[in-house]
Amino acid sequence: MVAGGLTAGAGVTSAIPEYTEPNLVKTLRCDSANPLPGPRIPIWVDVFNEIPFPADGLPGPAISLIASNRAQPGILDYTIETRVNWRNLATGRTGTVNVPTRARTVTWQVDLHPGPGPVAFTIHQKIGVMAFVPMVNARTSSCGGRATA
């Protein structure tokens, strides 16, 4: 007996459902012109599907697009506006997701909730530099891909 008349015992609890690893569908190359003097910014976008618990907090499953340029951070922040237009090819459903980002390297994450079926999407990036104001010397680029939700 434990103080207060309660008994101690062993039990099993689980507050979080078992998390399954998301599937890496492909990695896209979505390079952009550099708002700073220098070469183009190489940007890789990893496309994952079957995300049960997306980062945006909405119910899954979802498709997650995660971009990075794998570069050393610069002295100025990049300001990035990412817009992804998607279309579910099975249902005809469409949508757009906009994500603003500010970071030392070009990085962002977008979660898509298109419903089940094949999905085509187009990524539009607007990348500028934060120099007292956002989007200084902004450059735009776009690329596209497909995944199954």
Side-chain angles (χ1 to χ4, degrees), residues 16-25 47-54 61-64 66 148:
I16 300 173
E18 184 177 335
Y19 183 77
T20 58
E21 288 293 319
N23 296 326
L24 175 62
V25 176
V47 180
F48 296 93
N49 71 353
E50 300 179 17
I51 306 291
F53 307 106
I63 295 173
S64 193
I66 302 173
T148 301

Side-chain angles (χ1 to χ4, degrees), residues 5-131:
L6 300 174
T7 58
V12 177
T13 65
S14 178
I16 300 173
E18 184 177 335
Y19 183 77
T20 58
E21 288 293 319
N23 296 326
L24 175 62
V25 176
K26 64 181 83 174
T27 299
L28 304 172
R29 199 56 198 266
C30 295
D31 296 354
S32 174
N34 198 334
L36 297 170
R40 291 180 63 80
I41 301 171
I43 301 168
W44 289 267
V45 179
D46 292 330
V47 180
F48 296 93
N49 71 353
E50 300 179 17
I51 306 291
F53 307 106
D56 63 7
L58 296 173
I63 295 173
S64 193
L65 310 174
I66 302 173
S68 66
N69 74 329
R70 304 174 186 162
Q72 291 293 94
I75 57 172
L76 296 173
D77 284 354
Y78 288 103
T79 50
I80 307 140
E81 292 177 4
T82 307
R83 185 181 81 240
V84 179
N85 299 324
W86 57 264
R87 179 178 181 81
N88 185 316
L89 302 174
T91 64
R93 203 170 149 215
T94 62
T96 300
V97 179
N98 294 299
V99 175
T101 309
R102 178 178 169 181
R104 293 280 173 159
T105 61
V106 176
T107 182
W108 49 261
Q109 178 173 346
V110 173
D111 293 324
L112 308 178
H113 298 271
V119 178
F121 55 86
T122 304
I123 301 166
H124 303 276
Q125 301 176 102
K126 182 178 178 184
I127 302 171
V129 185
M130 182 72 178

